[in-house]
Amino acid sequence: MKKSIMIIVTIVFIGLCSSCRHTDSVASSPPALSGSWDKSLVYIEISVARYDGFQPWKLSQSFSVSCFGTAAGPDEILTIAEPFADASLIRVKCFGSNEFVPAEIKCIDYDINLCLLTINDESNNPELKAVSFSEDYKKGMELVGNWLAPDGTSKTSRGFLDRALLLPCPTSYQRTLAFVVSNPSRQTSRGELYTHNKKAVGIAYSSSEKDNFLIPAETINRFLKYTHNTNYAGFGTPGYESYDLLDPSVRKYLKMPEELKEGNYVSSVYSKGTGSDILQFGDVVLAINNNPLNAYGRYRHPDYEDIAFEHLIQRQELNQPISFTIWRNGEKIELETKTSRFDPKEMLVPYQEYDRQPEYIVIGGYVFQKLTRDYLQLWGENWPGKAPPHLFYYYRNLAMKPSEDRKDIVVLSFVLPAPINLGYQNLGRIVVKTFNGLEIRQMSDLLTAVSENPESPVHVVEFEMDYPTLIIPKQNLDQIDQTIAQIYGIQKTVNID
């Protein structure tokens, strides 16, 4: 009996030992696929220094952000553009190293949220293994996310490729192509590399509670192809807005035949961008480059299925021929133009002005600035409902329609209290109409206007919406401006390009 018990105990002990050895073996094994990407992954730290929105002469306290990158060459790193807006210092850490090496931006395209870095430390240049991106697409395929953690170890996550669609780009006014990764094991949104069967398919740029979103290989390959050009100019952007054309009565009003089911209604035409030179309000776009558009403005892609029309424009290099088939005045018309880009800096209310100091001028303590989306965002969360309505109106309705008659919206932002401006110190957030009788069409007009009417003892500023006229005495104004600059720490009272 005792002998039998000893045999059973021995068998159990041997089994436990075997189980422990197997567990140790599994625990010590690296996650699937991680090892093959180790020399291609980097961790990136960025120091950011931005100008204060309400005091544009003043740099806010710098802060640090981080993201992840993928080797695109021996000393080149691909990542997302968003963290690099207003970057002042960039450092990268590679696998197997505890040291950071400096890097700099080689090319950045905020339109598509992509950035290419170069390592600029020849004495300590790590050997990176460049990654090639595959444009293979299969709905439902399993994807693995790969990135290098701050401690230098490689990490992974998993998910499934659910669909492709156009989503708002976090660094641009337009929608761009994105892959949706469903059921992810963890959220990824900072440049993590996603792969399938040892092929790179995209990098992560955003996430929600249920999904992760990738910039796909198609966009990445186009970007990398042209980054070596000395004059990288980007790709086409849409020059118009549209809405769904589903109402049969509207189609009838437009004299469209009942059998013609295609077409998307042009609701607004921008001043610039692809199609802005040939399209009109009320046109119906039936096809782009012979790709028919349905009533929702989507075309049938051979892999992605139904995709919004912007994709047909964005995938083309600038200045390339592009055709529009439209319905106008009761007939079908074929039009041709070339792809073009709407630079956000040229908008009436710029969507973004990354990597540059805001324009301003301070006269007699009155702070004049250019209206931008960044300025409106100073009203915080839910800023569209909090910003002054007359300022938001320009952004919502006219931002995409600058003209020779008006290129900027100039506002009196606020007043720095001083004896010269007593009685006017509550003025602010109002649009300038004229300065010394000169109509203000852009920020540089202020410099011209200051020298107008030299015999007058005052500057006269008129505003929109019947706000009170502002009178600024000229006597000793230069000395007063110097005093105000010293009091409020303004190194230069004018910053206009």
Side-chain angles (χ1 to χ4, degrees):
M1 182 67 177
K2 291 182 180 179
K3 185 176 181 180
S4 299
I5 293 173
M6 288 296 295
I7 291 172
I8 293 171
V9 170
T10 302
I11 292 172
V12 170
F13 178 76
I14 292 172
L16 288 172
C17 291
S18 176
S19 175
C20 289
R21 285 195 301 271
H22 177 71
T23 302
D24 291 343
S25 175
V26 171
S28 61
S29 298
L33 297 181
S34 66
S36 60
W37 303 104
D38 286 348
K39 291 186 177 181
S40 303
L41 305 177
V42 299
Y43 174 75
I44 308 169
E45 279 191 358
I46 311 110
S47 295
V48 178
R50 291 178 181 157
Y51 284 92
D52 185 287
F54 280 127
Q55 301 180 73
W57 55 85
K58 180 180 178 182
L59 273 172
S60 300
Q61 185 173 1
S62 63
F63 59 93
S64 296
V65 295
S66 63
C67 64
F68 308 104
T70 301
D75 60 351
E76 294 181 338
I77 300 164
L78 174 75
T79 184
I80 56 175
E82 187 177 9
F84 295 88
D86 305 304
S88 58
L89 178 66
I90 304 169
R91 305 189 306 163
V92 302
K93 180 190 288 188
C94 302
F95 182 80
S97 174
N98 292 322
E99 296 183 0
F100 282 96
V101 294
E104 61 185 13
I105 295 173
K106 178 178 182 179
C107 183
I108 191 164
D109 190 338
Y110 292 109
D111 286 349
I112 55 177
N113 195 18
L114 285 174
C115 177
L116 186 67
L117 306 176
T118 56
I119 296 174
N120 56 7
D121 186 353
E122 296 181 359
S123 62
N124 189 20
N125 196 346
E127 295 183 4
L128 295 174
K129 183 178 180 182
V131 170
S132 297
F133 284 83
S134 169
E135 297 183 19
D136 292 343
Y137 174 89
K138 185 177 180 181
K139 190 173 181 179
M141 65 185 186
E142 185 176 7
L143 300 180
V144 178
N146 308 266
W147 66 95
L148 189 69
D151 62 1
T153 61
S154 57
K155 303 292 183 181
T156 62
S157 67
R158 296 180 182 274
F160 296 89
L161 181 55
D162 185 69
R163 61 196 183 280
L165 75 167
L166 267 69
L167 293 174
C169 177
T171 53
S172 170
Y173 71 92
Q174 61 179 345
R175 298 185 300 172
T176 53
L177 184 66
F179 284 172
V180 181
V181 179
S182 62
N183 299 318
S185 58
R186 64 180 295 172
Q187 292 181 335
T188 54
S189 60
R190 294 189 294 162
E192 296 88 343
L193 173 68
Y194 270 78
T195 61
H196 172 71
N197 286 345
K198 299 185 179 181
K199 293 181 179 180
V201 299
I203 60 174
Y205 75 92
S206 183
S207 64
S208 66
E209 292 182 0
K210 296 182 179 180
D211 300 311
N212 291 334
F213 306 104
L214 314 183
I215 300 173
E218 172 188 322
T219 306
I220 291 170
N221 287 337
R222 284 203 314 270
F223 172 72
L224 292 177
K225 179 181 178 180
Y226 293 102
T227 52
H228 297 285
N229 293 348
T230 54
N231 296 316
Y232 176 88
F235 300 89
T237 62
Y240 69 99
E241 294 177 8
S242 64
Y243 67 71
D244 304 342
L245 189 54
L246 301 173
D247 191 339
S249 63
V250 177
R251 287 181 170 270
K252 185 176 180 180
Y253 172 79
L254 296 170
K255 301 177 183 179
M256 299 180 69
E258 290 187 10
E259 65 272 14
L260 185 58
K261 304 298 182 183
E262 295 83 14
N264 195 231
Y265 188 80
V266 176
S267 58
S268 179
V269 179
Y270 302 158
S271 297
K272 299 184 179 181
T274 306
S276 63
D277 56 336
I278 58 172
L279 296 177
Q280 300 175 7
F281 170 78
D283 284 345
V284 178
V285 180
L286 303 175
I288 299 177
N289 280 346
N290 297 318
N291 294 278
L293 303 186
N294 63 20
Y296 298 97
R298 304 185 188 122
Y299 80 101
R300 193 70 176 178
H301 189 278
D303 296 321
Y304 307 146
E305 300 178 352
D306 288 344
I307 290 292
F309 73 90
E310 293 101 319
H311 181 244
L312 292 166
I313 297 172
Q314 294 163 353
R315 70 183 187 181
Q316 288 196 217
E317 188 184 357
L318 289 183
N319 297 315
Q320 296 301 306
I322 186 169
S323 65
F324 287 80
T325 305
I326 69 167
W327 185 268
R328 178 188 293 171
N329 297 328
E331 60 179 344
K332 184 184 291 188
I333 303 175
E334 299 288 338
L335 301 174
E336 290 191 359
T337 185
K338 291 186 177 181
T339 50
S340 59
R341 176 176 176 264
F342 200 154
D343 189 332
K345 294 190 292 293
E346 297 176 343
M347 295 175 183
L348 186 63
V349 182
Y351 184 88
Q352 49 86 357
E353 289 194 312
Y354 300 133
D355 310 318
R356 59 185 302 195
Q357 185 177 4
E359 292 185 89
Y360 69 90
I361 181 171
V362 181
I363 303 173
Y366 300 97
V367 181
F368 297 93
Q369 293 180 244
K370 180 167 69 174
L371 182 63
T372 66
R373 182 174 179 268
D374 289 338
Y375 181 85
L376 292 170
Q377 287 183 315
L378 294 172
W379 273 265
E381 190 176 0
N382 300 320
W383 58 268
K386 296 177 181 178
H390 60 289
L391 298 186
F392 182 68
Y393 165 82
Y394 280 106
Y395 172 74
R396 181 186 60 193
N397 297 324
L398 300 174
M400 313 300 291
K401 298 181 179 181
S403 66
E404 290 301 317
D405 292 332
R406 197 163 202 182
K407 296 182 179 181
D408 296 327
I409 302 300
V410 179
V411 299
L412 170 59
S413 181
F414 68 104
V415 182
L416 298 168
I420 192 175
N421 52 49
L422 286 174
Y424 292 102
Q425 294 174 358
N426 291 328
L427 282 181
R429 279 72 72 190
I430 52 180
V431 178
V432 177
K433 184 178 181 181
T434 66
F435 197 112
N436 287 339
L438 179 69
E439 186 176 358
I440 302 302
R441 299 176 299 174
Q442 56 190 351
M443 279 295 292
S444 59
D445 287 343
L446 287 176
L447 297 179
T448 303
V450 168
S451 60
E452 291 286 313
N453 303 329
E455 70 284 354
S456 174
V458 296
H459 292 304
V460 180
V461 187
E462 294 181 305
F463 303 100
E464 294 183 352
M465 299 183 65
D466 297 324
Y467 278 92
T469 299
L470 173 63
I471 305 298
I472 308 175
K474 292 183 180 179
Q475 186 177 5
N476 300 323
L477 185 57
D478 289 343
Q479 293 87 341
I480 291 171
D481 284 342
Q482 291 178 10
T483 301
I484 290 173
Q486 291 175 354
I487 293 172
Y488 293 98
I490 305 173
Q491 291 186 348
K492 58 179 181 178
T493 57
V494 177
N495 182 61
I496 296 178
D497 294 342

